[in-house]
Amino acid sequence: MKNSISLTRKGNLIVISGPSGSGKGTICRALLREMSDLHLSVSATTRQPRPGEQDGIDYYFLHRKQFEKMIADNQLLEWAEVYGYYYGTPAEPVREAISRGKDVILEIDVQGAAKVKNNYPGCVLIFIIPPSRHELEQRLTGRATDSADEIRRRLAWAEREIKELPKYDYLVINDEVAAAASKVRSIIIAERCRPALLDINDFITRYWLM
Ligand code: 5GP
């Protein structure tokens, strides 16, 4: 029987963006169920909770003043204004998970993704889109959580977001959730094989020096 080797590695930052309605949330939940060593960052936002959303699970729902204090106190890894609301990633839980060797998923917009890539060039940017604009419109209308005005705003925003696609490392077209989730899982697994994340000295000393 082969001896299994244990590698000491830092976690990776996996940024997932895509238009509202692209299915990125569903894909992330599927990945969390299937993969170990994965941590989903819970963002802070000033938008109102949608029916069924829970504080501390889906988002930290904050007032503008509370959010602005987090910005001032440097507690956010990145933040952006989307659809007139603040959204941001609390820094501490992300740093803590990465130092424990967990890959951290940030489900954030294109502005936030650009900031993260700037500050952490080793991060991986994945863009998820539905097969067409028509399909996106159908999904946004079908989920019935937003008003017609809000849907129009989200579609207009999607057209702007898609222009940022060339900055991403990977594109995953979500025409079927299981297939799209499997592609994202493959990307995460492939990225775990990069030696940059490995404690190379530890690996060589333990397994290769006689
Ligand atoms: P929603 O209101 O539909 O949950 O999210 C709206 C948009 O905000 C989505 O594109 C989502 O990815 C983005 N978003 C959620 N959390 C964050 C965050 O922490 N930072 C940034 N920059 N965008 C976020």
Side-chain angles (χ1 to χ4, degrees), residues 171-192:
L171 165 68
V172 173
I173 297 173
N174 179 14
D175 42 9
E176 206 262 311
V177 171
S182 157
K183 284 182 187 162
V184 178
R185 187 172 49 238
S186 303
I187 294 166
I188 294 173
I189 292 169
E191 291 289 335
R192 282 180 182 172

Side-chain angles (χ1 to χ4, degrees), residues 16-29 107-108 128 174:
I16 298 191
S17 306
S20 179
S22 63
K24 57 190 190 304
T26 313
I27 289 173
C28 288
R29 283 194 296 278
E107 197 193 314
I108 62 178
I128 297 180
N174 179 14

Side-chain angles (χ1 to χ4, degrees), residues 18 20 24 43 47 50 59 78-80 82-83 87-89 107-109 112 143 154 161:
S20 179
K24 57 190 190 304
S43 295
R47 83 148 161 76
R50 297 196 183 110
Y59 280 104
E78 62 71 38
W79 63 273
V82 189
Y83 318 125
Y87 290 84
T89 305
E107 197 193 314
I108 62 178
D109 88 312
R143 74 181 185 185
R154 281 171 190 259
E161 284 184 308

Side-chain angles (χ1 to χ4, degrees), residues 30-58:
L31 294 174
L32 283 175
R33 279 195 302 273
E34 294 162 11
M35 296 182 79
S36 60
D37 290 343
L38 215 52
H39 170 89
L40 180 65
S41 159
V42 178
S43 295
T45 183
T46 55
R47 83 148 161 76
Q48 293 296 310
R50 297 196 183 110
E53 283 185 331
Q54 286 176 273
D55 187 42
I57 292 177
D58 299 287

